[in-house]
Amino acid sequence: MFSVRIVNADFYTAAPIPGLDLTYSSFRESKIQKVPLVRIFGATKQGQKTCAHVHGAFPYIYVPYDGTEPRDKYLRQFATSVDFAVHVSLGRASSSTHHVYDISIIKGRPFYGYHEEETEFIKISFYNPFLVNRVVELLQSGAIMNKTFQPHEAHIPYLLQFFMDYNLYGMNFLNASSVKFRFPVRQLPGWYIRAQKILFLANIGSNPGLTTIWEDERERRKASQDGTPLELPPSQDRGYLPDHEAELHYKAKLRQILQEHELLL
């Protein structure tokens, strides 16, 4: 298992690499030109600085599915409509570039309102994370399929979505079951990781990043034979702080409002 601590992360798009990325979309029946990649900057458990490139994590959003049949034909029309609307909004109506990677039907419980049962949603996956917000605006404006849609999970940024899907936290370790080295480790510490090979972590605390830092310090003290107990430092004594003039003013105003409210009751 390969582990790297997540110190920083960003993303970019690049041409797919055979063996690491899909090079053909069966849904769009065309070759893939660009794919999103997540870069994780950090260090291994041995302290080696590294940059890990995560492949296969596509940004996505959901919209409610109205049950239009036949499904396959409708989903392909939906993808074509999204592509065309994006082209028009970018001033490139004659472009043939595909922006939608895949569309599928999933079941979930609607976020808005109360619902006893799950309903069907259209999951739209994209090649370019930078275009997701544009597509959301087009869905809400009625520019796609001549209909207004309510996107779900569209407010979640791409990196946060990736972290949520694999239960990752800042300053914690990303554990992968399979990696490929870009160059020999001693020359350039770079790794390729497929998103499907990232091991999903169980809940490990309210703030796993801080927990990991404390665990590292315990290991460091153990290795250096430092017997000093690791304890939380006492809170700093703030002493006596007199009330500020503005604080006294707003306290008096609050008491006045409360008294008036009691009279109304």
Side-chain angles (χ1 to χ4, degrees):
M1 183 178 66
F2 171 79
S3 299
V4 57
R5 186 187 302 284
I6 304 172
V7 176
N8 195 9
D10 65 7
F11 64 90
Y12 65 102
T13 60
I17 300 175
L20 288 171
D21 297 297
L22 295 173
T23 58
Y24 183 82
S25 171
S26 57
F27 175 74
R28 305 309 305 271
E29 298 180 343
S30 63
K31 291 183 178 180
I32 297 175
Q33 304 297 325
K34 295 283 187 178
V35 292
L37 294 99
V38 177
R39 288 190 297 193
I40 303 294
F41 300 90
T44 64
K45 291 184 177 180
Q46 292 72 32
Q48 185 179 29
K49 301 298 186 294
T50 185
C51 172
H53 300 251
V54 182
H55 295 248
F58 292 87
Y60 59 86
I61 59 174
Y62 300 102
V63 295
Y65 175 54
D66 59 7
T68 303
E69 297 288 350
R71 293 193 177 193
D72 290 344
K73 181 179 179 180
Y74 177 74
L75 296 184
R76 295 183 188 279
Q77 290 177 341
F78 198 103
T80 302
S81 181
V82 171
D83 288 340
F84 181 72
V86 172
H87 294 154
V88 171
S89 69
L90 294 174
R92 305 170 186 170
S94 60
S95 175
S96 60
T97 302
H98 288 167
H99 302 292
V100 176
Y101 160 62
D102 184 49
I103 296 183
S104 58
I105 304 295
I106 61 98
K107 285 191 175 183
R109 199 177 300 276
F111 178 81
Y112 302 101
Y114 173 75
H115 303 270
E116 293 185 354
E117 299 180 354
E118 293 183 339
T119 58
E120 291 183 320
F121 286 85
I122 299 174
K123 180 181 180 180
I124 314 170
S125 300
F126 302 92
Y127 292 118
N128 191 344
F130 295 103
L131 290 178
V132 174
N133 288 339
R134 182 181 293 270
V135 174
V136 170
E137 293 177 359
L138 294 171
L139 287 166
Q140 293 174 326
S141 66
I144 296 174
M145 301 295 287
N146 295 319
K147 180 180 178 180
T148 301
F149 292 90
Q150 173 61 65
H152 288 62
E153 296 196 15
H155 63 290
I156 305 176
Y158 173 54
L159 283 179
L160 181 58
Q161 188 179 69
F162 168 71
F163 274 45
M164 291 168 58
D165 286 346
Y166 293 95
N167 204 19
L168 301 174
Y169 303 86
M171 295 307 296
N172 200 4
F173 283 103
L174 179 153
N175 299 313
S177 61
S178 177
V179 299
K180 289 187 177 181
F181 298 98
R182 172 179 288 184
F183 292 106
V185 179
R186 294 182 180 178
Q187 294 182 19
L188 180 61
W191 284 270
Y192 291 122
I193 301 174
R194 293 199 63 181
Q196 292 81 359
K197 299 298 183 180
I198 297 176
L199 304 182
F200 186 86
L201 300 178
N203 184 17
I204 55 177
S206 58
N207 194 328
L210 290 178
T211 302
T212 304
I213 293 174
W214 280 80
E215 289 298 330
D216 284 352
E217 178 61 18
R218 290 191 181 93
E219 292 298 325
R220 186 192 68 80
R221 295 192 182 192
K222 184 186 297 184
S224 61
Q225 297 182 349
D226 184 352
T228 307
L230 186 61
E231 299 176 350
L232 289 172
S235 299
Q236 181 180 0
D237 185 11
R238 300 180 63 185
Y240 172 72
L241 295 176
D243 291 338
H244 193 270
E245 181 179 350
E247 186 177 2
L248 294 173
H249 168 74
Y250 285 112
K251 281 184 176 180
K253 194 170 186 64
L254 176 61
R255 283 194 293 268
Q256 180 182 354
I257 293 173
L258 293 175
Q259 290 175 356
E260 293 175 354
H261 182 70
E262 290 179 356
L263 291 176
L264 291 175
L265 293 178

